[in-house]
Amino acid sequence: MIILTTFESDEYVYQAIRAGASGFLVKDTEPADLLQAVRVVARGDALLSPSVTRRLITDLATRPERPPPSDTSVRALAALTEREREVMVLVAEGLSNDEIAARLFLSPLTSKTHVSRIMTKLYARDRAQLVVIAYESGLVTPGGRRG
């Protein structure tokens, strides 16, 4: 699902991602960029407008230190293997399956399989939800520090 909106509010973006959106674009998106976004989301990747991405990164980086992760998030991550946690961190960094494969010296198919298994284990609908889970669980934190 791609949200195309006139509102760039951070809260709208967070709500859209929590609701399962894999794309969030503003109304002044060029038609060619909108078509490309549809292709990106159809491939299983996530996409945010550049202006939204900049604001969200700034927002996350300037937030006060988060409280420790909940027992539920810790239990969810406990279901993952060490390699799956490694892959999830790279998904949270925004890497594609091919980029993850290259970074971890895997085949692209193996990388895709890892991402798929992580999504199944964590009941995530898409990569955007994996990113949210990675941050909310403390697996990754703003500024690239692992939890």
Side-chain angles (χ1 to χ4, degrees):
M1 171 176 28
I2 298 174
I3 304 295
L4 183 63
T5 182
T6 58
F7 303 105
E8 289 188 55
S9 159
D10 293 347
E11 190 52 39
Y12 287 138
V13 176
Y14 293 132
Q15 287 176 358
I17 291 171
R18 285 185 192 109
S22 295
F24 193 95
L25 302 172
V26 292
K27 71 175 182 173
D28 62 352
T29 300
E30 295 294 325
D33 293 335
L34 181 57
L35 287 172
Q36 180 61 22
V38 171
R39 289 183 190 104
V40 166
V41 171
R43 246 191 348 250
D45 291 330
L47 183 100
L48 300 173
S49 287
S51 61
V52 171
T53 303
R54 277 191 300 278
R55 270 199 349 277
L56 291 180
I57 289 171
T58 299
D59 178 52
L60 287 171
T62 58
R63 284 186 179 186
E65 196 64 34
R66 294 186 68 111
S70 69
D71 289 342
T72 305
S73 352
V74 172
R75 280 194 304 274
L77 290 182
L80 302 180
T81 66
E82 186 60 35
R83 178 58 109 184
E84 288 169 340
R85 278 191 217 92
E86 223 177 335
V87 169
M88 188 159 167
V89 166
L90 297 176
V91 168
E93 289 177 12
L95 274 63
S96 68
N97 289 338
D98 288 341
E99 292 167 330
I100 293 169
R103 178 86 58 95
L104 298 178
F105 305 103
L106 305 170
S107 76
L109 181 59
T110 300
S111 172
K112 184 176 181 177
T113 299
H114 280 307
V115 172
S116 180
R117 286 186 182 153
I118 294 166
M119 289 173 60
T120 299
K121 286 181 178 182
L122 299 181
Y123 303 100
R125 286 183 294 259
D126 54 35
R127 294 171 76 96
Q129 284 194 324
L130 287 183
V131 173
V132 170
I133 292 166
Y135 278 91
E136 287 182 345
S137 70
L139 182 63
V140 294
T141 58
R145 298 175 307 276
R146 289 186 187 189

